[in-house]
Amino acid sequence: MPKGLAVEETVAGVRPQVAAARNAGQAIGFVPTMGALHAGHVSLIEQARGRCGSVAVSIFVNPTQFGPNEDFTRYPRTLDADLAACREAGADLVFVPSKEEIYPAGSSTFVEVAGLSDRFEGAFRPGHFRGVATVVLKLFEIVRPDVAFFGAKDYQQQLILRRMVRDLDVPVEIVTCPTVREPDGLAMSSRNRYLDPEQREQARSISAALFAARDRLRTGEGDLDAVRSEMRRTIEAAGLSIDYATAADPETLEELRAPQAKMVLLVAARLGNVRLIDNMEVSVS
Ligand code: AMP
């Protein structure tokens, strides 16, 4: 790709640029996003930069992954700042398609990762992962990356996308990058912008509950129900409404009855009309 940041709005504009980079022997790294970029996104771009000769980012607020009463229309859109962040983090190409570019009139093909998509986020946001899997497969077809970078922040999402590329033989390596947090532990999220100062303070309870649960499990707690109850208490005491706060198998996402060597703690909670998710992987010996 040429030096400097190329910004493309069309599939036809993206394809020759990635083809040129590939022909020049560069591996293509790809970071799909919905924009309103923060340090979490930047860490993904930097990891792509570290591993790949050429780095593409997409910014697309994907309508098919939002439910009818969700925040699609008010989702933050900060394109100028996002392009500056991409440039700063070392991206080569940013793909900023319109809705029509991604979903031409009459689009009727969707990707469904059955099973994994029905739990947790999928149960509370019907159709969400169908929208995610569909748009990510389309973006993979457009960019044809060698390596694609996703955040552990969206634990279930990366698991579903790993399953999708395995099941459909998509020739891309999925890399999952650690969750970037605010100094007080809150997982960075574009949706944190919705929080007023009081809610921002309340939101700390999610990561506080996760860290406390992890510590308790690491020091040998055998009663998972007690751990779950404590997570719920901490989050509810701060005034949030819980969608789920539990422990699951990190591969199957089956909810656990007892601790096991590897677990993932998963939380989704609402503060007014803001919905936040977070998770933490826990290993015990
Ligand atoms: P989004 O723009 O929310 O769709 O996120 C785009 C990518 O950034 C996804 O792979 C997310 O998992 C990842 N991401 C979002 N927040 C964070 C974070 N705090 N730390 C690391 N990755 C993140």
Side-chain angles (χ1 to χ4, degrees):
M1 284 177 201
K3 281 239 174 292
L5 185 70
V7 181
E8 294 292 344
E9 297 180 359
T10 63
V11 176
V14 169
R15 287 200 195 279
Q17 302 217 36
V18 278
R22 188 171 301 105
N23 290 339
Q26 293 173 338
I28 313 294
F30 180 42
V31 181
T33 80
M34 299 204 301
L37 301 186
H38 51 66
H41 298 111
V42 168
S43 79
L44 266 49
I45 301 170
E46 287 172 350
Q47 299 206 38
R49 180 78 281 161
R51 274 207 48 187
C52 301
S54 184
V55 176
V57 177
S58 63
I59 297 176
F60 179 58
V61 185
N62 174 35
T64 63
Q65 71 188 69
F66 288 80
N69 299 315
E70 293 183 359
D71 55 345
F72 174 71
T73 47
R74 69 175 180 132
Y75 197 83
R77 288 160 171 89
T78 59
L79 185 60
D80 290 345
D82 290 351
L83 294 180
C86 288
R87 191 175 288 113
E88 170 85 2
D92 299 292
L93 171 67
V94 184
F95 180 37
V96 194
S98 65
K99 234 164 39 189
E100 295 70 29
E101 185 70 10
I102 295 296
Y103 299 110
S107 281
S108 58
T109 307
F110 294 90
V111 180
E112 203 143 336
V113 181
L116 276 181
S117 296
D118 302 333
R119 302 166 187 279
F120 300 113
E121 282 304 277
F124 284 91
R125 305 183 68 189
H128 170 66
F129 287 121
R130 180 190 201 237
V132 169
T134 301
V135 82
V136 170
L137 184 63
K138 282 175 65 71
L139 291 167
F140 284 173
E141 287 297 323
I142 295 163
V143 175
R144 298 274 166 98
D146 298 287
V147 194
F149 297 80
F150 293 89
K153 158 78 167 44
D154 297 280
Y155 186 88
Q156 189 174 6
Q157 170 173 278
Q158 56 83 37
L159 211 56
I160 286 169
L161 295 173
R162 285 175 180 277
R163 177 71 61 82
M164 176 185 80
V165 304
R166 190 203 69 176
D167 288 356
L168 299 181
D169 300 297
V170 184
V172 62
E173 178 190 347
I174 303 282
V175 172
T176 303
C177 305
T179 300
V180 177
R181 298 179 179 280
E182 299 285 358
D184 69 357
L186 178 69
M188 289 199 181
S189 165
S190 304
R191 291 189 167 96
N192 293 350
R193 292 169 192 251
Y194 298 146
L195 301 171
D196 66 29
E198 191 190 342
Q199 292 173 322
R200 170 65 187 78
E201 186 58 28
Q202 294 170 282
R204 283 178 45 185
S205 64
I206 298 176
S207 57
L210 286 167
F211 280 113
R214 185 187 66 180
D215 291 347
R216 196 165 160 180
L217 287 163
R218 275 181 173 170
T219 49
E221 174 63 76
D223 183 348
L224 202 49
D225 281 336
V227 176
R228 255 191 288 265
S229 302
E230 189 188 340
M231 281 204 290
R232 296 190 73 94
R233 261 199 312 277
T234 303
I235 296 166
E236 283 172 347
L240 288 80
S241 307
I242 293 174
D243 281 350
Y244 54 83
T246 193
D249 180 276
E251 296 298 325
T252 65
L253 291 188
E254 300 272 4
E255 209 164 351
L256 298 175
R257 288 162 161 248
Q260 60 183 37
K262 286 184 186 300
M263 298 169 269
V264 59
L265 305 171
L266 299 160
V267 173
R270 285 169 285 113
L271 254 173
N273 55 6
V274 185
R275 191 170 176 282
L276 300 174
I277 61 170
D278 197 356
N279 68 84
M280 197 156 292
E281 288 179 87
V282 185
S283 298
V284 295
S285 40

PDB file of all heavy atoms in Angstrom, residues 32-35 38 40-41 43-44 75 149-154 157 177-180 187-190, ligand 1:
ATOM      1  N   PRO A  32     -11.540  -4.866  12.171  1.00  0.00           N
ATOM      2  CA  PRO A  32     -12.889  -4.331  11.953  1.00  0.00           C
ATOM      3  C   PRO A  32     -13.397  -3.588  13.196  1.00  0.00           C
ATOM      4  O   PRO A  32     -13.242  -4.088  14.312  1.00  0.00           O
ATOM      5  CB  PRO A  32     -13.754  -5.584  11.716  1.00  0.00           C
ATOM      6  CG  PRO A  32     -12.833  -6.751  11.762  1.00  0.00           C
ATOM      7  CD  PRO A  32     -11.563  -6.323  12.407  1.00  0.00           C
ATOM      8  N   THR A  33     -14.002  -2.421  12.999  1.00  0.00           N
ATOM      9  CA  THR A  33     -14.537  -1.642  14.125  1.00  0.00           C
ATOM     10  C   THR A  33     -15.838  -0.958  13.702  1.00  0.00           C
ATOM     11  O   THR A  33     -16.159  -0.886  12.525  1.00  0.00           O
ATOM     12  CB  THR A  33     -13.578  -0.510  14.590  1.00  0.00           C
ATOM     13  OG1 THR A  33     -13.720   0.620  13.706  1.00  0.00           O
ATOM     14  CG2 THR A  33     -12.128  -0.950  14.610  1.00  0.00           C
ATOM     15  N   MET A  34     -16.510  -0.404  14.721  1.00  0.00           N
ATOM     16  CA  MET A  34     -17.668   0.440  14.447  1.00  0.00           C
ATOM     17  C   MET A  34     -17.329   1.913  14.713  1.00  0.00           C
ATOM     18  O   MET A  34     -18.231   2.746  14.825  1.00  0.00           O
ATOM     19  CB  MET A  34     -18.868   0.008  15.291  1.00  0.00           C
ATOM     20  CG  MET A  34     -19.297  -1.427  14.979  1.00  0.00           C
ATOM     21  SD  MET A  34     -21.019  -1.774  15.385  1.00  0.00           S
ATOM     22  CE  MET A  34     -21.029  -1.420  17.122  1.00  0.00           C
ATOM     23  N   GLY A  35     -16.043   2.227  14.827  1.00  0.00           N
ATOM     24  CA  GLY A  35     -15.645   3.615  15.024  1.00  0.00           C
ATOM     25  C   GLY A  35     -15.805   4.058  16.471  1.00  0.00           C
ATOM     26  O   GLY A  35     -15.890   3.235  17.368  1.00  0.00           O
ATOM     27  N   HIS A  38     -11.179   4.155  20.582  1.00  0.00           N
ATOM     28  CA  HIS A  38     -10.556   4.429  21.879  1.00  0.00           C
ATOM     29  C   HIS A  38      -9.296   3.577  21.980  1.00  0.00           C
ATOM     30  O   HIS A  38      -8.928   2.883  21.009  1.00  0.00           O
ATOM     31  CB  HIS A  38     -11.536   4.149  23.016  1.00  0.00           C
ATOM     32  CG  HIS A  38     -12.187   2.790  22.936  1.00  0.00           C
ATOM     33  ND1 HIS A  38     -11.490   1.606  23.078  1.00  0.00           N
ATOM     34  CD2 HIS A  38     -13.482   2.423  22.693  1.00  0.00           C
ATOM     35  CE1 HIS A  38     -12.316   0.588  22.954  1.00  0.00           C
ATOM     36  NE2 HIS A  38     -13.529   1.048  22.700  1.00  0.00           N
ATOM     37  N   GLY A  40      -8.649   0.840  23.268  1.00  0.00           N
ATOM     38  CA  GLY A  40      -8.825  -0.593  22.984  1.00  0.00           C
ATOM     39  C   GLY A  40      -8.669  -0.873  21.500  1.00  0.00           C
ATOM     40  O   GLY A  40      -7.928  -1.781  21.100  1.00  0.00           O
ATOM     41  N   HIS A  41      -9.343  -0.072  20.688  1.00  0.00           N
ATOM     42  CA  HIS A  41      -9.201  -0.236  19.234  1.00  0.00           C
ATOM     43  C   HIS A  41      -7.743   0.023  18.808  1.00  0.00           C
ATOM     44  O   HIS A  41      -7.200  -0.696  17.964  1.00  0.00           O
ATOM     45  CB  HIS A  41     -10.088   0.771  18.492  1.00  0.00           C
ATOM     46  CG  HIS A  41     -11.562   0.640  18.748  1.00  0.00           C
ATOM     47  ND1 HIS A  41     -12.276   1.578  19.455  1.00  0.00           N
ATOM     48  CD2 HIS A  41     -12.456  -0.309  18.373  1.00  0.00           C
ATOM     49  CE1 HIS A  41     -13.562   1.215  19.487  1.00  0.00           C
ATOM     50  NE2 HIS A  41     -13.699   0.075  18.848  1.00  0.00           N
ATOM     51  N   SER A  43      -5.091  -0.419  20.420  1.00  0.00           N
ATOM     52  CA  SER A  43      -4.194  -1.541  20.756  1.00  0.00           C
ATOM     53  C   SER A  43      -4.301  -2.641  19.700  1.00  0.00           C
ATOM     54  O   SER A  43      -3.308  -3.300  19.370  1.00  0.00           O
ATOM     55  CB  SER A  43      -4.489  -2.085  22.152  1.00  0.00           C
ATOM     56  OG  SER A  43      -5.631  -2.922  22.135  1.00  0.00           O
ATOM     57  N   LEU A  44      -5.493  -2.829  19.146  1.00  0.00           N
ATOM     58  CA  LEU A  44      -5.664  -3.831  18.080  1.00  0.00           C
ATOM     59  C   LEU A  44      -4.879  -3.411  16.824  1.00  0.00           C
ATOM     60  O   LEU A  44      -4.209  -4.234  16.186  1.00  0.00           O
ATOM     61  CB  LEU A  44      -7.151  -3.973  17.725  1.00  0.00           C
ATOM     62  CG  LEU A  44      -7.981  -5.059  18.406  1.00  0.00           C
ATOM     63  CD1 LEU A  44      -7.821  -5.099  19.904  1.00  0.00           C
ATOM     64  CD2 LEU A  44      -9.454  -4.945  18.033  1.00  0.00           C
ATOM     65  N   TYR A  75     -25.602   5.718  18.092  1.00  0.00           N
ATOM     66  CA  TYR A  75     -24.234   5.206  18.287  1.00  0.00           C
ATOM     67  C   TYR A  75     -23.241   6.310  17.915  1.00  0.00           C
ATOM     68  O   TYR A  75     -23.406   6.969  16.886  1.00  0.00           O
ATOM     69  CB  TYR A  75     -24.003   3.962  17.423  1.00  0.00           C
ATOM     70  CG  TYR A  75     -22.797   3.169  17.875  1.00  0.00           C
ATOM     71  CD1 TYR A  75     -22.891   2.256  18.914  1.00  0.00           C
ATOM     72  CD2 TYR A  75     -21.556   3.374  17.279  1.00  0.00           C
ATOM     73  CE1 TYR A  75     -21.782   1.554  19.356  1.00  0.00           C
ATOM     74  CE2 TYR A  75     -20.445   2.675  17.720  1.00  0.00           C
ATOM     75  CZ  TYR A  75     -20.554   1.759  18.758  1.00  0.00           C
ATOM     76  OH  TYR A  75     -19.439   1.079  19.192  1.00  0.00           O
ATOM     77  N   PHE A 149      -7.792  -9.068  13.855  1.00  0.00           N
ATOM     78  CA  PHE A 149      -7.574  -8.808  15.279  1.00  0.00           C
ATOM     79  C   PHE A 149      -8.890  -8.391  15.936  1.00  0.00           C
ATOM     80  O   PHE A 149      -9.555  -7.462  15.470  1.00  0.00           O
ATOM     81  CB  PHE A 149      -6.522  -7.696  15.446  1.00  0.00           C
ATOM     82  CG  PHE A 149      -5.182  -8.089  14.897  1.00  0.00           C
ATOM     83  CD1 PHE A 149      -4.923  -8.008  13.527  1.00  0.00           C
ATOM     84  CD2 PHE A 149      -4.202  -8.601  15.735  1.00  0.00           C
ATOM     85  CE1 PHE A 149      -3.695  -8.408  13.009  1.00  0.00           C
ATOM     86  CE2 PHE A 149      -2.966  -9.005  15.217  1.00  0.00           C
ATOM     87  CZ  PHE A 149      -2.712  -8.904  13.856  1.00  0.00           C
ATOM     88  N   PHE A 150      -9.232  -9.080  17.023  1.00  0.00           N
ATOM     89  CA  PHE A 150     -10.464  -8.797  17.756  1.00  0.00           C
ATOM     90  C   PHE A 150     -10.134  -8.655  19.236  1.00  0.00           C
ATOM     91  O   PHE A 150      -9.109  -9.151  19.705  1.00  0.00           O
ATOM     92  CB  PHE A 150     -11.486  -9.918  17.543  1.00  0.00           C
ATOM     93  CG  PHE A 150     -11.979  -9.992  16.119  1.00  0.00           C
ATOM     94  CD1 PHE A 150     -11.305 -10.770  15.184  1.00  0.00           C
ATOM     95  CD2 PHE A 150     -13.069  -9.245  15.705  1.00  0.00           C
ATOM     96  CE1 PHE A 150     -11.730 -10.814  13.859  1.00  0.00           C
ATOM     97  CE2 PHE A 150     -13.501  -9.281  14.383  1.00  0.00           C
ATOM     98  CZ  PHE A 150     -12.828 -10.064  13.458  1.00  0.00           C
ATOM     99  N   GLY A 151     -11.038  -7.978  19.968  1.00  0.00           N
ATOM    100  CA  GLY A 151     -10.804  -7.755  21.392  1.00  0.00           C
ATOM    101  C   GLY A 151     -11.429  -8.842  22.250  1.00  0.00           C
ATOM    102  O   GLY A 151     -12.542  -9.294  21.986  1.00  0.00           O
ATOM    103  N   ALA A 152     -10.717  -9.222  23.307  1.00  0.00           N
ATOM    104  CA  ALA A 152     -11.278 -10.142  24.294  1.00  0.00           C
ATOM    105  C   ALA A 152     -12.471  -9.504  25.005  1.00  0.00           C
ATOM    106  O   ALA A 152     -13.300 -10.206  25.584  1.00  0.00           O
ATOM    107  CB  ALA A 152     -10.216 -10.544  25.312  1.00  0.00           C
ATOM    108  N   LYS A 153     -12.555  -8.186  24.964  1.00  0.00           N
ATOM    109  CA  LYS A 153     -13.714  -7.470  25.547  1.00  0.00           C
ATOM    110  C   LYS A 153     -15.032  -8.082  25.082  1.00  0.00           C
ATOM    111  O   LYS A 153     -15.984  -8.179  25.848  1.00  0.00           O
ATOM    112  CB  LYS A 153     -13.612  -6.003  25.135  1.00  0.00           C
ATOM    113  CG  LYS A 153     -14.883  -5.195  25.167  1.00  0.00           C
ATOM    114  CD  LYS A 153     -15.222  -4.793  26.569  1.00  0.00           C
ATOM    115  CE  LYS A 153     -16.296  -3.731  26.665  1.00  0.00           C
ATOM    116  NZ  LYS A 153     -17.439  -3.898  25.807  1.00  0.00           N
ATOM    117  N   ASP A 154     -15.087  -8.454  23.806  1.00  0.00           N
ATOM    118  CA  ASP A 154     -16.284  -9.093  23.261  1.00  0.00           C
ATOM    119  C   ASP A 154     -15.995 -10.591  23.147  1.00  0.00           C
ATOM    120  O   ASP A 154     -15.769 -11.118  22.058  1.00  0.00           O
ATOM    121  CB  ASP A 154     -16.642  -8.466  21.910  1.00  0.00           C
ATOM    122  CG  ASP A 154     -16.976  -7.004  22.072  1.00  0.00           C
ATOM    123  OD1 ASP A 154     -18.098  -6.699  22.471  1.00  0.00           O
ATOM    124  OD2 ASP A 154     -16.089  -6.145  21.836  1.00  0.00           O
ATOM    125  N   GLN A 157     -18.137 -12.853  20.982  1.00  0.00           N
ATOM    126  CA  GLN A 157     -17.981 -12.493  19.565  1.00  0.00           C
ATOM    127  C   GLN A 157     -16.755 -13.161  18.950  1.00  0.00           C
ATOM    128  O   GLN A 157     -16.818 -13.758  17.867  1.00  0.00           O
ATOM    129  CB  GLN A 157     -17.877 -10.973  19.439  1.00  0.00           C
ATOM    130  CG  GLN A 157     -17.480 -10.484  18.067  1.00  0.00           C
ATOM    131  CD  GLN A 157     -17.551  -8.972  17.969  1.00  0.00           C
ATOM    132  OE1 GLN A 157     -18.620  -8.419  17.756  1.00  0.00           O
ATOM    133  NE2 GLN A 157     -16.426  -8.297  18.128  1.00  0.00           N
ATOM    134  N   CYS A 177      -7.051 -10.027  21.264  1.00  0.00           N
ATOM    135  CA  CYS A 177      -6.158  -9.137  22.019  1.00  0.00           C
ATOM    136  C   CYS A 177      -6.781  -8.792  23.378  1.00  0.00           C
ATOM    137  O   CYS A 177      -8.007  -8.680  23.487  1.00  0.00           O
ATOM    138  CB  CYS A 177      -5.928  -7.845  21.244  1.00  0.00           C
ATOM    139  SG  CYS A 177      -5.317  -8.112  19.575  1.00  0.00           S
ATOM    140  N   PRO A 178      -5.927  -8.587  24.396  1.00  0.00           N
ATOM    141  CA  PRO A 178      -6.446  -8.346  25.747  1.00  0.00           C
ATOM    142  C   PRO A 178      -7.327  -7.096  25.837  1.00  0.00           C
ATOM    143  O   PRO A 178      -7.136  -6.143  25.084  1.00  0.00           O
ATOM    144  CB  PRO A 178      -5.180  -8.143  26.588  1.00  0.00           C
ATOM    145  CG  PRO A 178      -4.039  -8.574  25.754  1.00  0.00           C
ATOM    146  CD  PRO A 178      -4.467  -8.580  24.331  1.00  0.00           C
ATOM    147  N   THR A 179      -8.250  -7.119  26.766  1.00  0.00           N
ATOM    148  CA  THR A 179      -9.132  -5.983  27.009  1.00  0.00           C
ATOM    149  C   THR A 179      -8.336  -4.813  27.596  1.00  0.00           C
ATOM    150  O   THR A 179      -7.617  -4.993  28.588  1.00  0.00           O
ATOM    151  CB  THR A 179     -10.246  -6.386  27.999  1.00  0.00           C
ATOM    152  OG1 THR A 179     -10.978  -7.462  27.419  1.00  0.00           O
ATOM    153  CG2 THR A 179     -11.180  -5.221  28.300  1.00  0.00           C
ATOM    154  N   VAL A 180      -8.478  -3.656  27.001  1.00  0.00           N
ATOM    155  CA  VAL A 180      -7.838  -2.447  27.536  1.00  0.00           C
ATOM    156  C   VAL A 180      -8.837  -1.781  28.487  1.00  0.00           C
ATOM    157  O   VAL A 180     -10.015  -1.620  28.148  1.00  0.00           O
ATOM    158  CB  VAL A 180      -7.434  -1.487  26.401  1.00  0.00           C
ATOM    159  CG1 VAL A 180      -6.848  -0.195  26.968  1.00  0.00           C
ATOM    160  CG2 VAL A 180      -6.428  -2.166  25.474  1.00  0.00           C
ATOM    161  N   ALA A 187     -13.777  -1.525  31.518  1.00  0.00           N
ATOM    162  CA  ALA A 187     -13.348  -1.893  30.164  1.00  0.00           C
ATOM    163  C   ALA A 187     -13.677  -0.747  29.212  1.00  0.00           C
ATOM    164  O   ALA A 187     -14.794  -0.208  29.248  1.00  0.00           O
ATOM    165  CB  ALA A 187     -14.061  -3.162  29.727  1.00  0.00           C
ATOM    166  N   MET A 188     -12.716  -0.362  28.401  1.00  0.00           N
ATOM    167  CA  MET A 188     -12.991   0.709  27.441  1.00  0.00           C
ATOM    168  C   MET A 188     -14.048   0.250  26.455  1.00  0.00           C
ATOM    169  O   MET A 188     -14.052  -0.903  26.013  1.00  0.00           O
ATOM    170  CB  MET A 188     -11.723   1.107  26.716  1.00  0.00           C
ATOM    171  CG  MET A 188     -10.783   1.839  27.635  1.00  0.00           C
ATOM    172  SD  MET A 188      -9.594   2.773  26.704  1.00  0.00           S
ATOM    173  CE  MET A 188      -8.646   3.458  28.058  1.00  0.00           C
ATOM    174  N   SER A 189     -14.942   1.171  26.112  1.00  0.00           N
ATOM    175  CA  SER A 189     -16.026   0.869  25.188  1.00  0.00           C
ATOM    176  C   SER A 189     -16.511   2.168  24.576  1.00  0.00           C
ATOM    177  O   SER A 189     -16.544   3.205  25.254  1.00  0.00           O
ATOM    178  CB  SER A 189     -17.183   0.206  25.953  1.00  0.00           C
ATOM    179  OG  SER A 189     -18.362   0.229  25.163  1.00  0.00           O
ATOM    180  N   SER A 190     -16.895   2.098  23.311  1.00  0.00           N
ATOM    181  CA  SER A 190     -17.463   3.297  22.680  1.00  0.00           C
ATOM    182  C   SER A 190     -18.710   3.735  23.433  1.00  0.00           C
ATOM    183  O   SER A 190     -19.040   4.916  23.472  1.00  0.00           O
ATOM    184  CB  SER A 190     -17.817   3.003  21.223  1.00  0.00           C
ATOM    185  OG  SER A 190     -16.673   2.528  20.531  1.00  0.00           O
TER     186      SER A 190
HETATM  187  P1  AMP B   1     -16.419  -2.239  18.185  1.00  0.00           P
HETATM  188  O1  AMP B   1     -16.009  -0.967  17.514  1.00  0.00           O
HETATM  189  O2  AMP B   1     -17.050  -2.048  19.531  1.00  0.00           O
HETATM  190  O3  AMP B   1     -17.206  -3.156  17.276  1.00  0.00           O
HETATM  191  O4  AMP B   1     -15.083  -3.017  18.484  1.00  0.00           O
HETATM  192  C1  AMP B   1     -14.169  -3.312  17.468  1.00  0.00           C
HETATM  193  C2  AMP B   1     -13.131  -4.244  18.008  1.00  0.00           C
HETATM  194  O5  AMP B   1     -12.458  -3.628  19.114  1.00  0.00           O
HETATM  195  C3  AMP B   1     -13.738  -5.546  18.529  1.00  0.00           C
HETATM  196  O6  AMP B   1     -12.879  -6.623  18.178  1.00  0.00           O
HETATM  197  C4  AMP B   1     -13.747  -5.314  20.015  1.00  0.00           C
HETATM  198  O7  AMP B   1     -13.697  -6.511  20.769  1.00  0.00           O
HETATM  199  C5  AMP B   1     -12.477  -4.508  20.202  1.00  0.00           C
HETATM  200  N1  AMP B   1     -12.524  -3.770  21.466  1.00  0.00           N
HETATM  201  C6  AMP B   1     -13.527  -2.986  21.921  1.00  0.00           C
HETATM  202  N2  AMP B   1     -13.243  -2.518  23.146  1.00  0.00           N
HETATM  203  C7  AMP B   1     -12.035  -3.035  23.482  1.00  0.00           C
HETATM  204  C8  AMP B   1     -11.198  -2.945  24.639  1.00  0.00           C
HETATM  205  N3  AMP B   1     -11.537  -2.229  25.708  1.00  0.00           N
HETATM  206  N4  AMP B   1     -10.026  -3.616  24.630  1.00  0.00           N
HETATM  207  C9  AMP B   1      -9.657  -4.362  23.557  1.00  0.00           C
HETATM  208  N5  AMP B   1     -10.397  -4.480  22.443  1.00  0.00           N
HETATM  209  C10 AMP B   1     -11.572  -3.839  22.401  1.00  0.00           C
END
